[in-house]
Amino acid sequence: MKIIECFCSDLNINEVSKKLDINYVTAKKRYDLFRQLIASRLEDEFRDKTVIEYDEYIYLEKSKRDIKENIFDAQNFLTFHYENKIYNLLMQNLNMYKNQFMDDGADEAYFKEFSKYMMFNKISKIQKKENLITKFWIFFEKSILKYKGVRHENFFYYLKEIEFKFNYSKEMQKEILIDFYK
């Protein structure tokens, strides 16, 4: 119960370990479990819902934004607005194409074309600029910073954690996590 409280209070694993005087690995395992359970719940919850609007988002850490080759490290996801909630669908990572683009010597042309593609072919169906989706993206950008880098293979779970915390109040988050244990 104390770990759930810490998770919902946005404490990181190191802080939880120290605050509760428990092993770091124990806290990490519990956080990983919470993220898996949350992801599963959010996937089930979204099924058969009517989407109000959606838009595409490309996230790249600020430290990587100035080097064009880092575009392959970007995380691309679609954000859906439904029933006053947000759902995110993580798209395939571009990193699998990096070597192909870099090896044939035409990388400048590829980057130029990719930039044009991103500017003109954005998947989008939003009704106005100030909406729940853009509010989520602002929340996401602030929230992801506390992790100081997320490995590609874990990004989905952190995205789902942030989605969960955006969609539910702290009290609802606790109730949902406690229900997982019943």
Side-chain angles (χ1 to χ4, degrees), residues 95-112:
N95 207 17
M96 61 192 274
Y97 302 109
K98 185 176 185 174
N99 290 339
Q100 176 184 341
F101 277 78
M102 304 301 273
D103 288 347
D104 67 7
D107 51 317
E108 274 305 317
Y110 289 138
F111 290 123
K112 186 176 178 181

Side-chain angles (χ1 to χ4, degrees), residues 16-179:
V16 172
S17 172
K18 290 176 184 173
K19 180 179 178 171
L20 301 180
D21 195 29
I22 60 174
N23 186 294
Y24 179 91
V25 174
T26 301
K28 182 175 181 347
K29 284 181 181 178
R30 192 66 63 199
Y31 268 44
D32 289 345
L33 176 63
F34 295 160
R35 290 180 179 124
Q36 291 169 1
L37 294 169
I38 287 167
S40 179
R41 178 191 168 103
L42 293 173
E43 295 298 308
D44 290 343
E45 193 175 272
F46 181 69
R47 244 180 234 126
D48 302 321
K49 299 293 189 220
T50 301
V51 172
I52 297 168
E53 56 188 351
Y54 58 91
D55 202 352
E56 179 180 26
Y57 193 74
I58 297 176
Y59 169 72
L60 185 61
E61 296 171 43
K62 284 185 182 183
S63 64
K64 294 183 175 185
R65 291 182 184 167
D66 293 336
I67 302 169
K68 62 186 171 191
E69 289 85 3
N70 288 338
I71 192 64
F72 294 102
D73 296 331
Q75 299 288 347
N76 185 18
F77 52 92
L78 295 177
T79 303
F80 298 90
H81 173 192
Y82 74 98
E83 296 177 0
N84 209 29
K85 291 183 181 174
I86 290 296
Y87 171 80
N88 291 286
L89 177 64
L90 188 60
M91 306 300 282
Q92 191 167 3
N93 190 289
L94 297 175
N95 207 17
M96 61 192 274
Y97 302 109
K98 185 176 185 174
N99 290 339
Q100 176 184 341
F101 277 78
M102 304 301 273
D103 288 347
D104 67 7
D107 51 317
E108 274 305 317
Y110 289 138
F111 290 123
K112 186 176 178 181
E113 289 303 311
F114 184 71
S115 296
K116 280 199 279 187
Y117 171 81
M118 293 307 295
M119 197 178 316
F120 297 113
N121 294 307
K122 187 173 188 224
I123 299 170
S124 180
K125 186 192 175 287
I126 58 172
Q127 299 166 356
K128 55 189 175 198
K129 286 188 180 206
E130 190 64 30
N131 60 28
L132 196 64
I133 291 173
T134 56
K135 287 177 185 174
F136 170 76
W137 291 341
I138 292 166
F139 181 80
F140 170 81
E141 285 282 349
K142 288 178 184 174
S143 299
I144 198 75
L145 291 176
K146 74 178 177 184
Y147 300 112
K148 297 179 175 102
V150 174
R151 293 173 56 182
H152 167 70
E153 56 271 11
N154 297 327
F155 184 81
F156 171 78
Y157 295 106
Y158 287 86
L159 175 62
K160 290 299 175 178
E161 176 186 341
I162 294 168
E163 178 184 321
F164 176 73
K165 290 181 176 180
F166 181 81
N167 285 339
Y168 296 102
S169 69
K170 185 177 172 180
E171 289 306 312
M172 281 296 301
Q173 292 171 34
K174 285 189 226 173
E175 286 179 32
I176 292 167
L177 290 172
I178 290 168
D179 281 347

